[in-house]
Amino acid sequence: MAATHASPAAAAATASKDPLLQPLRIKGLTLRNRIMSTSHASFLDDGGMPMERYQRYHEEKAKGGLALTSFGGSSMVDVDSSWGNGGQLNLATDAVIPHLQAFSQRIHAHGAALMCQISHLGRRADATTLNWLPALAPSRSRETQHRAFSREMDEHDIRRIVKAYGAAAERCREGGLDGVETLTGGHLIGQFFSPRTNFRSDRFGGSVENRVRFGLMVHEEIRRRLGDEMIVSMRFVIDEASEDGLGFEDCLEIAAIFEREGLVDVFNCIFGRMDTVIALAEHNMPGMSQPLAPFLSRVGAFRRHTKLPVFHAARITDIATARHAIRDGLLDMVAMTRAHMADPQIVNKIMRGEEDRIRPCVGASYCMHKKVNCIHNPASGRETTMPQIIAPAARKRRVVVVGGGPAGLEAARVSAERGHEVLLFEAGSQPGGQLLLACRARQRRDLIGIIDWRTAELARLGVEMRCDTYANADDVLAENPDVVIVATGGLPDVDWLEGAEHCQTVWDVLSATTERSGDIIVYDGTGRHEGISTTLHLKEQGCNVHLVTIDDSLAQEVEYSTRAVYRKQFHESGITATMDHHLVRVSRNGANALTATFRHELTGDLLDMTASQVVVERGTMPLDEVFHDLKEGAVNEGVTDLEALLAGTPQPRQGGAGTFELHRIGDAVASRNVHASIYDAMRLCMVL
């Protein structure tokens, strides 16, 4: 049944009462609602400049209705503030001003406000790239994550960097921005604040009043350059959650000083540290391993101690939580940064009464792995080549999709949005493909949102879905298709292994209806989520599990924050792991045991390990029989023209004698990940 939505009049009446849609005035700036996106590094810059790709990414959010989009996470204010791996804006040069001017005009044209984060990394800077300058900090120390050894700043350094902050802020003013934001936490101002990193005995160390002196000087210089018109926000840590760091009461005292001096207009609150990967993954940018909105109540407690507006972002992914945050006075602005990567149309959908149509952020943290690419919104970060809103096709066609995993569901959705008549065959009793198995592991259960959203969209679009149908070539041809898209996925790849008949796959484990026991070896030949999450799944069932991987570290293909979470979970669970080994064969060892033989990747030495069960993960091999059966009758003989695909243009008619176009996507081509499968589908079908 198709979803129903409120009439325009009813939607408008609801919107007028919605806490999220009420305006907020800060000094001379009126924000049209209470939803924003916070500063982050999108990795869409061109040599440190926010040019077309960068601006278009933020423009989609403005077009989608939010009130404020902030950009330039960790933008450098001076030449020794580089992190060195790209993605960082350079606010230390006047060359950025024309780009800021174009940027602000673009965003303001859609009724949204624009701010930029300006900061100095201090000891987080990379001393071995870009300018090859040593990192500096309040005191000599070393940050675990970014690894540089810092030198202690002298008064000359302090004066120089204070001026650099002011100059960067002035460039933002000349660029037409509505405000700027500094960052405490693990950056330089926060390094002065915290006793973890400030060991000085001069006027910048010791007491709270001394430790805030540098930050006050920075903000006094910013105010001097900007006047009182522009908004000055401070992304402010409310608790470092560390025995030797700033506690909640310390942070309240610091906040009160800045508020009393009139140097900030907004506190954009964060929690915890960012100087290790696990702190970043659990505190600063929490993913699906953490609960929803984990620090919202603590930020609400902070808000009770200040008269200034309070912003906050940390895994606030759903509208119900966002609405609660505003309605119950926990926040003044709710930041849904990663949620807007999944769906930049959030506010427009709320206003139209289509809240149920918002594409959910599932917390996979894929956006921390490959630019700002969302795991299931391939247009995010590709705004210059891919649309966030699918345009209708000039002519209607009959599209048959075979396979209802992520790739097939996306192919059906995009084709239906184009206005085509779509039929989807799915062999299983419900759509979802491999993701239905992935969700059986507790750590990845939120991935079901990828399937649920597409299933609901197909119902709304009137797509016919035939489950429990293992479609063959005759079934497909009987539908007289103009286009056939094969998205049949793959099957576990074990054909290469001697003794495969003795083994099980992660599919066997995750699909089982009963729990397992005993000693189990899991071989991970991919470095993806599958082997790691299955190992943890088995450990939760009480098994004694040992992981062996071909790689030199756990989860090598996984986004860096989740890798740290997995390593922590392995340690807490007592799971042992052997690196740098590939599986050679598995053989029987008595009636109830198996011997797995591994070869060391570097030395070639053999290693025998014995267990009651061996579970093998090495990706999938394409399940593509129906594709090959249809090739001969296809006008393009099953060939997808790659130049047209990459250019985003319709596939050319090729020399085959058939009447339909044939393509295959996702794991039906090769074993890859969820994002690749959905990207395959969208870029092919958006021009059908």
Side-chain angles (χ1 to χ4, degrees):
M1 179 180 295
T4 58
H5 301 291
S7 67
T14 301
S16 68
K17 301 175 183 178
D18 192 332
L20 289 173
L21 301 182
Q22 305 311 304
L24 175 66
R25 188 168 181 84
I26 306 175
K27 297 173 72 170
L29 177 66
T30 298
L31 300 171
R32 59 186 173 184
N33 55 58
R34 302 302 183 96
I35 298 178
M36 67 173 292
S37 173
T38 52
S39 302
H40 55 284
S42 67
F43 290 86
L44 297 174
D45 62 294
D46 291 279
M49 297 291 114
M51 299 173 72
E52 180 75 8
R53 293 186 309 158
Y54 200 106
Q55 295 177 29
R56 289 279 295 276
Y57 163 66
H58 284 274
E59 184 181 20
E60 288 298 325
K61 304 179 189 187
K63 288 162 64 175
L66 55 54
L68 167 65
T69 187
S70 193
F71 69 98
S74 304
S75 294
M76 58 188 294
V77 299
D78 213 343
V79 293
D80 50 2
S81 181
S82 170
W83 62 31
N85 61 348
Q88 187 182 23
L89 293 189
N90 185 0
L91 270 291
T93 170
D94 288 347
V96 76
I97 295 173
H99 303 298
L100 297 180
Q101 291 170 339
F103 199 173
S104 60
Q105 290 170 10
R106 187 189 293 264
I107 299 303
H108 291 157
H110 300 289
L114 185 67
M115 293 179 65
C116 180
Q117 185 179 99
I118 57 174
S119 192
H120 195 293
L121 293 169
R123 71 178 193 151
R124 285 177 69 80
D126 191 330
T128 63
T129 57
L130 195 61
N131 296 319
W132 282 75
L133 294 171
L136 46 74
S139 305
R140 185 170 57 84
S141 63
R142 183 182 192 245
E143 189 195 79
T144 304
Q145 184 184 1
H146 285 197
R147 306 185 67 81
F149 289 90
S150 63
R151 68 173 178 84
E152 183 174 299
M153 296 168 63
D154 59 25
E155 294 259 359
H156 173 79
D157 297 316
I158 289 171
R159 290 192 299 271
R160 168 175 62 86
I161 293 173
V162 165
K163 290 180 180 179
Y165 267 101
E170 189 166 354
R171 292 181 186 108
C172 291
R173 179 181 60 79
E174 293 181 28
L177 273 61
D178 299 288
V180 298
E181 174 181 83
T182 61
L183 174 60
T184 67
H187 285 220
L188 186 57
I189 294 175
Q191 291 164 25
F192 271 93
F193 287 174
S194 178
R196 296 189 71 251
T197 47
N198 185 345
F199 318 128
R200 301 172 74 103
S201 57
D202 62 0
R203 66 190 185 114
F204 293 98
S207 67
V208 169
E209 290 77 8
N210 281 353
R211 284 185 276 121
V212 301
R213 191 183 307 277
F214 172 75
L216 289 172
M217 292 169 63
V218 166
H219 278 263
E220 286 167 354
E221 179 70 6
I222 289 173
R223 275 285 188 232
R224 186 180 72 81
R225 300 279 193 125
L226 297 185
D228 205 41
E229 295 79 22
M230 284 182 67
I231 303 300
V232 178
S233 169
M234 178 181 280
R235 196 158 196 177
F236 184 74
V237 63
I238 63 167
D239 190 336
E240 285 192 311
S242 173
E243 290 184 0
D244 58 348
L246 294 168
F248 184 72
E249 296 298 326
D250 300 317
C251 294
L252 287 179
E253 183 179 356
I254 293 171
I257 293 171
F258 279 87
E259 183 173 355
R260 181 188 69 216
E261 298 298 321
L263 296 175
V264 297
D265 304 305
V266 170
F267 287 117
N268 184 3
C269 296
I270 56 177
F271 179 89
R273 293 157 41 200
M274 61 177 74
D275 55 352
T276 65
V277 178
I278 194 64
L280 200 72
E282 293 185 342
H283 289 169
N284 208 250
M285 292 182 280
M288 67 169 63
S289 69
Q290 300 299 302
L292 293 174
F295 313 120
L296 181 57
S297 63
R298 303 187 208 192
V299 175
F302 174 86
R303 185 179 180 271
R304 293 196 291 271
H305 292 272
T306 180
K307 295 179 181 178
L308 296 180
V310 170
F311 301 173
H312 175 56
R315 204 164 183 238
I316 303 175
T317 62
D318 64 290
I319 299 305
T321 301
R323 189 172 285 123
H324 153 67
I326 301 299
R327 182 192 60 224
D328 294 352
L330 303 177
L331 304 177
D332 296 283
M333 285 286 289
V334 60
M336 305 184 73
T337 307
R338 283 181 283 181
H340 274 84
M341 297 176 195
D343 193 341
Q345 286 284 315
I346 287 174
V347 175
N348 284 348
K349 289 179 178 178
I350 295 173
M351 294 178 69
R352 293 196 300 261
E354 297 177 357
E355 198 171 305
D356 59 324
R357 287 199 55 219
I358 294 171
R359 187 191 321 233
C361 171
V362 298
S365 296
Y366 192 82
C367 52
M368 297 173 67
H369 183 47
K370 302 286 186 182
K371 297 184 178 178
V372 289
N373 296 149
C374 171
I375 190 172
H376 73 130
N377 180 1
S380 187
R382 299 187 177 100
E383 286 75 13
T384 58
T385 60
M386 303 190 75
Q388 291 287 357
I389 299 175
I390 305 299
R395 64 187 179 98
K396 185 175 181 178
R397 306 171 79 183
R398 172 76 166 162
V399 178
V400 174
V401 179
V402 187
L409 291 173
E410 180 72 352
R413 182 191 74 87
V414 175
S415 298
E417 290 278 15
R418 295 277 285 159
H420 300 311
E421 180 186 359
V422 181
L423 166 65
L424 186 146
F425 289 112
E426 165 54 34
S429 60
Q430 64 183 109
Q434 294 179 51
L435 273 187
L436 295 179
L437 290 175
C439 293
R440 299 287 296 274
R442 180 178 56 82
Q443 295 85 357
R444 307 188 74 203
R445 60 190 174 209
D446 289 350
L447 293 175
I448 196 63
I450 296 172
I451 302 304
D452 289 347
W453 180 77
R454 284 176 172 76
T455 302
E457 285 293 284
L458 294 191
R460 177 185 66 85
L461 292 163
V463 171
E464 181 184 359
M465 187 185 304
R466 297 181 193 169
C467 292
D468 293 312
T469 304
Y470 194 95
N472 58 32
D474 290 339
D475 296 322
V476 172
L477 295 175
E479 299 299 328
N480 298 312
D482 298 306
V483 181
V484 177
I485 299 171
V486 175
T488 43
L491 293 174
D493 184 5
V494 292
D495 284 357
W496 54 275
L497 177 61
E498 179 184 342
E501 67 274 13
H502 305 308
C503 301
Q504 299 174 68
T505 68
V506 297
W507 289 30
D508 296 322
V509 173
L510 295 175
S511 63
T513 57
T514 58
E515 294 190 350
R516 300 184 180 240
S517 60
D519 297 332
I520 301 178
I521 296 169
V522 176
Y523 172 64
D524 180 11
T526 67
R528 301 175 187 167
H529 290 277
E530 291 88 334
I532 304 296
S533 61
T534 300
T535 301
L536 289 163
H537 180 72
L538 288 167
K539 185 65 177 181
E540 288 170 359
Q541 295 180 359
C543 301
N544 180 26
V545 196
H546 186 95
L547 180 89
V548 182
T549 176
I550 194 171
D551 297 316
D552 61 6
S553 60
L554 289 179
Q556 196 141 303
E557 285 192 27
V558 172
E559 58 279 352
Y560 73 93
S561 59
T562 306
R563 281 201 302 271
V565 173
Y566 279 149
R567 292 201 309 272
K568 178 179 178 180
Q569 291 173 335
F570 264 51
H571 179 75
E572 290 174 338
S573 301
I575 299 172
T576 56
T578 299
M579 315 299 175
D580 287 319
H581 282 77
H582 69 264
L583 183 59
V584 176
R585 61 180 172 270
V586 177
S587 56
R588 280 281 176 201
N589 185 342
N592 299 310
L594 298 172
T595 294
T597 300
F598 298 91
R599 177 171 282 116
H600 195 283
E601 281 288 286
L602 305 180
T603 67
D605 295 340
L606 295 180
L607 171 68
D608 286 340
M609 300 179 68
T610 301
S612 59
Q613 300 171 62
V614 176
V615 177
V616 176
E617 163 57 21
R618 210 189 72 161
T620 58
M621 53 185 178
L623 181 61
D624 56 2
E625 181 181 359
V626 68
F627 172 79
H628 290 292
D629 289 346
L630 289 167
K631 281 172 60 176
E632 188 174 333
V635 66
N636 63 335
E637 298 177 335
V639 175
T640 301
D641 185 284
L642 297 183
E643 289 187 10
L645 182 73
L646 297 179
T649 58
Q651 290 286 307
R653 184 177 178 87
Q654 299 180 24
T659 58
F660 63 92
E661 198 176 306
L662 174 67
H663 303 278
R664 59 175 171 166
I665 58 177
D667 281 8
V669 182
S671 180
R672 289 174 294 164
N673 62 24
V674 175
H675 179 83
S677 295
I678 294 174
Y679 184 26
D680 268 5
M682 186 175 179
R683 64 178 167 182
L684 174 67
C685 297
M686 71 181 188
V687 293
L688 279 184

